[in-house]
Amino acid sequence: MEVLHDLESLRLLPGPVYLAIGIFDGVHRGHRALIEEAQADAKKTGGTAVVMTFEPHPMMFFQRAEPPLRLSSPRHKELLLARQGVTHLAVLPFEAGRASQTAEEFVEELRAACRPLGGVVVGADWKFGKGRAGDVGLLKRMGGFEVDGIPAVTIQGKPISSTAIRLAVARGDLPLAEEALGRPYAVFGRVVPGRKLGRELGCPTANIETDGFQLPPDGVYAVRVRIGEKTFAGVANLGVRPTVSRGDKRMLEVHLLAFEGDLYGLEIEVAFLRFLREEKKFGSMEELRAQIGRDVAAAR
């Protein structure tokens, strides 16, 4: 997948260009509906489909004091989009100039960059531009390209949204999150050095950086770990590790059931499959070791 970082790069793509525009946090089923429409339009005309998104998340720009928890990092989003067959991704910086740009100015910039702009695909309720004044109606009124406003994909009559998925994950409703995403909820992060206590307990673990991302409730989970193109079954502990630590920093520790090697520094994806038990404090390291054995068996 080719990643573009400015609008000028769109000039180099074979036209007509069809843009699927949004934040795409989590790349859920609603997002994929937009992407598939742009891909279908491009295929019919021999053009190029481009997914266009923004970094940082506009909500992080406007609400810097309390930025929203993310469902996917920029790198994870790239991987998820590539798995959907996306060949071109435009990641535009969201800064003061973009935030103050009117909706009309943004559209004109898109039109000038593409050779030509064949179409724009967005969610039916998408708002953009200064004061969120732009919408599907404005896109259609400006004319000169196709406009598709895709209705929200629903579950039991309720629209799928990144916000709804965050809430589902936060309360531990993994089945609902999986239904909305079309895959198990996963986090993606770098493996960082830990205290190596898992190795002493006969269960070596990888500690994953997860700051800023939505996590399910503390506890022990059966997980699937993806390292590059390979996947491994695993068991994960999410929480403050009350038996071995006096701190309150949440950590995600993952033990792979059939893996040998060094994971330090690698970026891995951890998909939460099933909640096994709550995190608890044990009276001794021996009790903890015995419970870890039961957790591994349950995960298997």
Side-chain angles (χ1 to χ4, degrees), residues 276-277 282 287-299:
L276 298 180
R277 66 170 177 84
F282 294 91
E287 288 183 24
L288 175 58
R289 183 180 287 109
Q291 182 60 57
I292 288 174
R294 291 191 289 271
D295 293 338
V296 169

Side-chain angles (χ1 to χ4, degrees), residues 112-211:
C114 299
R115 301 300 177 91
L117 177 59
V120 173
V121 184
V122 295
D125 60 352
W126 187 58
K127 305 289 186 182
F128 67 100
K130 184 178 180 179
R132 293 170 55 83
D135 57 14
V136 171
L138 181 141
L139 290 170
K140 291 181 176 179
R141 290 194 298 274
M142 293 192 72
F145 52 89
E146 296 179 22
V147 178
D148 290 306
I150 306 299
V153 178
T154 61
I155 297 176
Q156 299 177 352
K158 296 182 179 180
I160 294 173
S161 69
S162 297
T163 298
I165 295 171
R166 287 188 198 98
L167 293 173
V169 173
R171 66 174 180 267
D173 193 343
L174 295 178
L176 178 60
E178 180 172 350
E179 186 176 3
L181 290 164
R183 58 178 173 81
Y185 180 64
V187 296
F188 183 82
R190 189 174 301 278
V191 178
V192 297
R195 295 170 57 190
K196 296 183 172 60
L197 289 174
R199 194 177 304 276
E200 294 177 16
L201 292 166
C203 184
T205 60
N207 301 307
I208 316 300
E209 289 183 333
T210 57
D211 290 347

Side-chain angles (χ1 to χ4, degrees), residues 213-280:
F213 299 101
Q214 182 64 64
L215 294 170
D218 290 352
V220 177
Y221 293 85
V223 298
R224 182 183 298 119
V225 179
R226 185 164 181 157
I227 307 170
E229 296 302 316
K230 296 182 179 181
T231 58
F232 302 86
V235 59
N237 185 87
L238 174 62
V240 298
R241 307 181 302 168
T243 305
V244 298
S245 175
R246 295 181 180 179
D248 58 0
K249 179 178 173 58
R250 296 180 81 194
M251 296 186 63
L252 176 62
E253 297 178 294
V254 182
H255 171 66
L256 278 62
L257 302 188
F259 177 84
E260 292 185 5
D262 186 1
L263 294 175
Y264 289 134
L266 296 181
E267 292 181 312
I268 68 175
E269 181 185 69
V270 181
F272 294 89
L273 304 183
R274 184 174 299 178
F275 178 81
L276 298 180
R277 66 170 177 84
E278 294 181 352
E279 186 179 48
K280 60 178 291 187

